[in-house]
Amino acid sequence: MPLPAQYEAMSDAALEEAIWRAKEALGERLVILGHHYQRDEVIQFADHRGDSLGLSRQAAKAEKAEYIVFCGVYFMAETAAILCKPHQAVSQPVPEALCPMARMANRREAERAWQALASVWGEDVIPITYQNSTAEVKAFVGERGGAVCTSANAQQIFEWAFRRRGHILFMPDEHLGTNTALGMGIPLEEIGLWDWADSPDPCSLAHCRVVVWKGFCYVHAEFTVEDVQRVRAQHPGALIVVHPECPRQVAALADALGSTTGIIDFVAQAPPGSTIAVGTEWHLVNRLQKEFPDRTVLPLARRACATMGMTRMNDLLYVLDGLLDGEVRHRVTVDPDTAHWARLALERMLEAG
Ligand code: 13P
């Protein structure tokens, strides 16, 4: 939705000044959350910047604030809306900023996979969904005793699941599910793939311990073995750290896997003078280059997330101006029944972590 013309006409300096003023006027009534992939121009205003897990925790803790403004993609703001208290309102400055991967699973198709797997495993299966999923998929998982995970705690949540049942259905990221299972010592032959566009015969999956949904992040799935080989040839001795949404072949060649916070910690702990190639979204890599000038931080390949980059200062100011007038613009809400079950799945994660 286009912004009113006056917001597009403002200079960067005017936008910056107006946002700081609005923040000051709203004081403790407002909390701005910003994901690490946001533009620098936006992240400077975040009261809390973090990965999906950290920001979920902040959303659950921000009890004093009347308004939570989430600069990220839709599933993140939706998660905040599920975790917040009834007196709080969550806004997302650009409601069109979606995560394409989150849209690769829906409740209907999840139900179909669940029925099929029940035909071979009976009740001995637990659903786990990545935070990058819709509220309805989180609710589906919550209703069936499962939990949400993020890239920062996927192994912990898989361990939690295996203490309860013998098999996992993991949605919607094939690569995070596969990398997590492999990291736990589960052989590749025991990791099955659920292709929602062309459902497999469940009998072909009966021997598996984990079945992963055939979904992907279009940013991370594009990193290749050739990218790793090129960086190793051009920068001998470089350390390589990648997000676990990258394909397993890329993950296997990297020195470390990390959530966005894990990647930041890896760069922070690398010795000064070292070269680190990072396989994740470009806005974060670019920021790390600036924040660690005594290290060389380079992108494994330059890949940006179009929707994460959609939020600009103009969009943030539009929402803050509304709040100054008592109007919640671009509010994110979740219907009470969906929110109830999705909250359960999120709380299981937050408790297990
Ligand atoms: P993190 O949980 O590592 O912040 O990742 C979220 C995400 O959307 C990665 O593409």
Side-chain angles (χ1 to χ4, degrees), residues 59 62-68 83-90 331:
E63 287 193 17
K64 269 200 211 149
E66 230 171 289
Y67 307 120
I68 299 173
L83 291 174
C84 75
K85 299 282 178 287
H87 69 278
Q88 299 178 298
V90 176
R331 185 168 184 171

Side-chain angles (χ1 to χ4, degrees), residues 4 12 26 32 39 69 85 103 113 153 184 202 206 209 243 254 256 258 282 315 334:
D12 284 358
L26 289 159
I32 300 179
R39 291 164 178 250
V69 175
K85 299 282 178 287
R103 300 295 165 127
N153 63 12
M184 293 171 74
R209 292 183 64 201
H243 197 278
W282 178 77
D315 307 294
V334 179

